[in-house]
Amino acid sequence: MLDFNDALPRPANPVDLAAQRETVRADLLARLPSVLKALFPAGKVRGGAFAIGNVQGDPGDSLEVALSGEKAGLWYDHATGEGGDLFALIAAVHGLDTHGQFAEVVALAGRLLGTARVEPTPLRGEAPVDRLGPATAKWDYVAADGSLIACVYRYDPPTGKEYRPWDVRARLWRAPDPRPLYNLPAIAQAKEVVLVEGERCADALIHKGVAATTAMNGAKAPIDKTDWSPLRGKAVLIWPDRDAPGWDYAENAARACVAAGAASVAILVPPMDKPDKWDAADAVSEGFDCVAFLIHGERQVIKAAPPVLPTHTLGALLDDDSPVPPDLIAPRVLTPGGLLVFGGAPKVGKSDFLLAWLMHMAAGASFLGMTPPRPLRVFYLQAEVQYHYLRERVKTVSLPPSRLGAARVNFVATPQLRLVLDEAGLAQVIPAIVQAFGSAPPDLIAIDPIRNVFDGGEAGGENDNGAMLFFLSQRVEQLRMAVNPDAGLVLVHHTKKLGKKPFEEDPFQALAGAGSLRGYYSTGMLLFRPDEAQTTRQLIFELRNGAALPVKSVDKFNGTWREVVNTGRRVLQDYAERLDAERRRKHDVILQMLFDEAAEGRCYSATQFAEAFEGRAGLGAERTIRERLSVLATQGYIKFFRNAEDYGLPPLHRSKFGYQCVEGMVLRREGPPDPDTGEIPMWPVSVYPTHYKCPQTGALLPVEDSTIWLYHDEDNP
């Protein structure tokens, strides 16, 4: 009940206004039923109360005015929670403020009395009959200490269900101010709370062992009049009814929970196949798996939970005798949730080694002493080799026939990706991995090489420690957490050039961005060629989660990587001779191809030739061909001509050197048509170089005498 003595500004004659107020109040109470009927023509007298829908005068039962007893003239709207005396009711009807416009409210009350007739009031001993009948349900709202705050009664009259709150402490039919949440003792003890609509839904989940609560009045609860503070620090999950008012309530309540300091807030999305107004109580009654829905159901995250810093006492560590999780790759080379960085210099064979290694892991087969506990599901994200050449490579890897079947389904690779692992790149990669493996996530994710997909944010490139840390924490970890938090990661990276002594002292310092990498990875692994004249490599390990592993000497024999035990001179000599023979073969093949192509009327720049003959005649990938062409140009076997117009060839605007030519090369070009037959003859034209590559500086220099072919190769003086 409002106290106008304190709230109103003092009028010019406060004594007269106060006397007038009391006189008008007495007259209003004397004519109360008629006054209310004049104010609300659609209202009805039921028992000891006058009922109307709202202050706008719509038909209904939500707003009630007591007609007798000490509460005569007091009103309460069960839908909005508003109430007061008769002056407050008249002010609400006319949109006035009883504080600043009370004189107008009194004047309106006087005019209202002129239209209302005097009726006898019921005798003091008569008790009004409750028009709603007996309550059909009752819910107690108790404080965290168990003391009773309020009760909510449900009635089911013919006009539909209605709820009436009873303020225990004020002993009035009204909601407490502020309104408490339901089930406060359980909420006080819980870390995770489910917020639903209405006490019926809360009780249904409580009986399932869930710490559930609701705001008083459910979806109609006034958010600003509810005390949300008990949810401070809690993880709140809101389960709305499947209708528009339910979702509106959920969004409004979510904002209130965030403002109250909830640790996290999310709204469950009701299943699309459920009927309208479906709620938590319906779910329990129909046998729906509520626990699974609360854990795995689709949700809209309003506020994410902050990461929790794990801590362990010495006693807990000493007493924990649970088994250590099995290695993904033993012995401790890669542990669940671990990160392995595999580095090496260019052309040392990293990708070839990695492909064989991953395929063996997918097959469940041991590889150079590294053993998986079972066939692993492997996703190989690679950004170096195009599809057709990846296909060629995997066919050269020899796997045990009995394990090939497992590897065929467990190993999944991408063709050469041309993307960056930023937010947009992750949005492509994550769904591809999930789709590739379905319900069983991958055990191992390999990225080869990270240089081609690197995203360091605004910090810089992969040589910058800050940029590398950003890539690892914000990109690589985001990928792993989205796919499988326990998956092992393998990142392929290049090494910088170090002197022999620094490399021997700390080889892993050669990794680009080594400061951040070494502080982040669980395992480092390097493939190193100590002698460029030999094919034997060293496999070097640095383990965080296990004992040190000895350095292995490895090499590839007939397409199979093996550990080299006998590194005697004869073995190395055989491999050196084999490599020399392969280099001579490629030398001869490239020169012959340039010569033969010219005879067919085709000439190439170095880039055009590498792209056109990649993977053909055993020349290898595009990069390998370009490197071999560069060596042959340095040795003088390949020179260049830049006068393309003299041979009827299109100019090369983007080529640094021009068209390639070899000694004695003849280009077939079209001659003038025969005047008698009209046929176009093909005439041979000798091609002479205009420039050569300086073997000392690599610069392009003009040829002094194009008819004399000079070589710079010591083997061909």
Side-chain angles (χ1 to χ4, degrees):
M1 180 173 175
L2 300 177
D3 187 351
F4 294 99
N5 290 318
D6 297 329
L8 283 174
R10 293 188 177 276
N13 192 342
V15 176
D16 293 345
L17 183 58
Q20 183 183 8
R21 177 181 60 187
E22 294 306 321
T23 300
V24 172
R25 184 196 302 275
D27 290 343
L28 289 173
L29 291 175
R31 298 172 172 82
L32 187 55
S34 298
V35 167
L36 294 175
K37 195 66 177 178
L39 191 61
F40 300 114
K44 296 180 180 180
V45 176
R46 292 179 178 174
F50 181 90
I52 190 67
N54 47 44
V55 294
Q56 287 77 34
D58 296 328
D61 304 311
S62 180
L63 191 154
E64 289 185 340
V65 185
L67 294 177
S68 61
E70 295 179 357
K71 299 179 181 179
L74 298 181
W75 64 279
Y76 182 76
D77 190 333
H78 295 281
T80 65
E82 298 175 322
D85 64 0
L86 287 171
F87 291 118
L89 182 60
I90 295 170
V93 170
H94 293 280
L96 299 177
D97 179 10
T98 54
H99 292 265
Q101 299 171 296
F102 187 69
E104 298 178 36
V105 174
V106 172
L108 288 170
R111 287 196 292 271
L112 189 62
L113 285 169
T115 62
R117 61 187 178 85
V118 178
E119 294 182 352
T121 58
L123 298 176
R124 180 178 297 273
E126 295 179 354
V129 178
D130 192 341
R131 64 175 181 80
L132 298 177
T136 56
K138 173 178 173 286
W139 294 276
D140 292 335
Y141 280 73
V142 297
D145 61 5
S147 60
L148 188 62
I149 302 174
C151 303
V152 172
Y153 294 87
R154 171 173 170 162
Y155 301 89
D156 290 278
T159 55
K161 63 182 179 181
E162 294 190 32
Y163 297 88
R164 296 289 185 267
W166 172 257
D167 187 339
V168 173
R169 294 168 182 172
R171 304 205 57 79
L172 293 174
W173 284 104
R174 69 179 189 186
D177 186 19
R179 303 183 181 208
L181 292 175
Y182 189 60
N183 196 26
L184 285 177
I187 292 177
Q189 302 298 322
K191 295 181 179 179
E192 300 175 348
V193 177
V194 179
L195 176 64
V196 295
E197 286 186 40
E199 298 86 0
R200 185 176 68 93
C201 293
D203 283 346
L205 293 180
I206 291 170
H207 292 154
K208 288 288 185 180
V210 177
T213 187
T214 183
M216 192 177 288
N217 281 75
K220 296 181 180 179
I223 300 298
D224 57 338
K225 294 184 178 181
T226 301
D227 180 11
W228 301 96
S229 62
L231 299 181
R232 181 185 304 276
K234 309 292 184 182
V236 180
L237 185 60
I238 303 175
W239 184 337
D241 291 0
R242 192 179 181 276
D243 53 21
W247 191 261
D248 291 340
Y249 160 74
E251 290 184 330
N252 293 331
R255 287 189 286 269
C257 293
V258 172
S264 66
V265 182
I267 304 175
L268 279 168
V269 179
M272 297 301 295
D273 59 346
K274 297 301 180 182
D276 193 41
K277 299 186 181 300
W278 182 84
D279 58 21
D282 297 328
V284 173
S285 64
E286 69 185 33
F288 182 76
D289 192 344
C290 296
V291 174
F293 181 54
L294 292 173
I295 297 174
H296 304 294
E298 181 185 354
R299 66 201 60 206
Q300 177 181 325
V301 177
I302 307 300
K303 177 184 177 182
V308 179
L309 182 65
T311 58
H312 308 283
T313 64
L314 175 61
L317 295 172
L318 293 174
D319 295 340
D320 188 355
D321 296 325
S322 60
V324 176
D327 298 336
L328 285 175
I329 302 176
R332 299 290 174 90
V333 174
L334 186 60
T335 52
L339 173 66
L340 184 149
V341 175
F342 177 40
K347 311 308 296 179
V348 76
K350 293 191 301 297
S351 293
D352 185 85
F353 181 96
L354 178 71
L355 185 63
W357 180 32
L358 295 179
M359 290 176 61
H360 277 75
M361 298 302 100
S366 181
F367 181 81
L368 296 174
M370 295 179 283
T371 307
R374 54 176 172 77
L376 302 180
R377 294 178 295 275
V378 177
F379 188 87
Y380 180 32
L381 190 157
Q382 63 93 22
E384 270 205 330
V385 183
Q386 296 174 346
Y387 168 77
H388 296 292
Y389 313 109
L390 174 66
R391 182 184 63 180
E392 284 185 345
R393 285 191 178 186
V394 300
K395 291 182 179 180
T396 64
V397 177
S398 177
L399 291 174
S402 61
R403 298 182 180 270
L404 182 59
R408 288 176 67 94
V409 296
N410 285 333
F411 180 83
V412 178
T414 67
Q416 183 182 24
L417 293 184
R418 301 186 183 276
L419 55 76
V420 175
L421 279 183
D422 52 11
E423 291 292 344
L426 291 174
Q428 297 182 60
V429 171
I430 292 171
I433 300 177
V434 173
Q435 182 178 1
F437 293 98
S439 59
D443 302 302
L444 193 155
I445 303 170
I447 302 176
D448 177 23
I450 60 175
R451 163 188 276 178
N452 291 11
V453 298
F454 187 84
D455 174 41
E458 299 179 357
E462 71 267 16
N463 292 319
D464 182 90
N465 279 330
M468 178 61 73
L469 184 60
F470 176 88
F471 177 71
L472 295 172
S473 61
Q474 303 300 317
R475 299 299 184 236
V476 175
E477 284 300 334
Q478 185 177 347
L479 171 62
R480 170 160 48 192
M481 293 304 295
V483 175
N484 178 12
D486 292 327
L489 292 173
V490 175
L491 306 183
V492 181
H493 199 28
H494 64 279
T495 55
K496 300 178 292 186
K497 289 186 177 180
L498 287 181
K500 184 176 181 181
K501 185 174 181 181
F503 188 89
E504 290 176 350
E505 292 177 352
D506 190 357
F508 289 92
Q509 198 59 37
L511 289 168
S516 295
L517 274 175
R518 298 186 72 182
Y520 208 93
Y521 65 56
S522 57
T523 301
M525 191 167 79
L526 292 181
L527 192 63
F528 172 62
R529 193 197 305 268
D531 189 343
E532 291 297 324
Q534 301 177 7
T535 60
T536 302
R537 288 84 151 177
Q538 288 183 347
L539 192 60
I540 309 171
F541 299 89
E542 183 179 46
L543 270 60
R544 297 274 190 270
N545 293 338
L549 294 179
V551 176
K552 297 177 182 288
S553 294
V554 299
D555 210 336
K556 196 172 182 181
F557 295 84
N558 299 322
T560 302
W561 286 90
R562 298 179 182 174
E563 188 171 357
V564 178
V565 179
N566 180 11
T567 58
R569 185 173 183 180
R570 180 67 246 172
V571 175
L572 298 179
Q573 182 177 346
D574 290 344
Y575 274 90
E577 291 175 356
R578 197 177 307 173
L579 286 177
D580 290 340
E582 178 62 14
R583 281 194 288 268
R584 287 193 296 269
R585 185 192 71 81
K586 290 183 178 180
H587 166 284
D588 295 338
V589 168
I590 289 174
L591 298 184
Q592 188 64 46
M593 291 178 77
L594 287 171
F595 188 93
D596 294 342
E597 287 292 305
E600 296 295 328
R602 296 183 289 271
C603 290
Y604 302 87
S605 68
T607 299
Q608 290 174 340
F609 184 87
E611 291 176 349
F613 296 97
E614 182 179 25
R616 294 171 58 181
L619 295 181
E622 177 184 338
R623 184 192 303 176
T624 303
I625 298 175
R626 285 203 306 268
E627 292 175 353
R628 179 50 48 190
L629 290 172
S630 178
V631 171
L632 292 175
T634 301
Q635 294 174 345
Y637 289 96
I638 293 177
K639 290 184 171 58
F640 307 90
F641 63 96
R642 299 176 63 84
N643 54 337
E645 65 280 359
D646 294 343
Y647 300 98
L649 295 173
L652 294 174
H653 298 293
R654 300 176 63 183
S655 175
K656 175 182 176 182
F657 289 92
Y659 285 104
Q660 301 175 110
C661 65
V662 297
E663 186 177 11
M665 191 168 83
V666 175
L667 176 65
R668 290 185 67 197
R669 303 303 300 164
E670 294 181 353
D674 187 281
D676 297 328
T677 63
E679 295 181 357
I680 300 176
M682 301 296 291
W683 289 358
V685 179
S686 296
V687 180
Y688 297 100
T690 61
H691 293 76
Y692 73 97
K693 181 181 178 182
C694 177
Q696 285 77 35
T697 66
L700 186 68
L701 301 178
V703 172
E704 296 181 3
D705 188 345
S706 60
T707 61
I708 300 176
W709 199 281
L710 296 178
Y711 293 91
H712 313 295
D713 184 4
E714 295 179 357
D715 295 334
N716 191 356

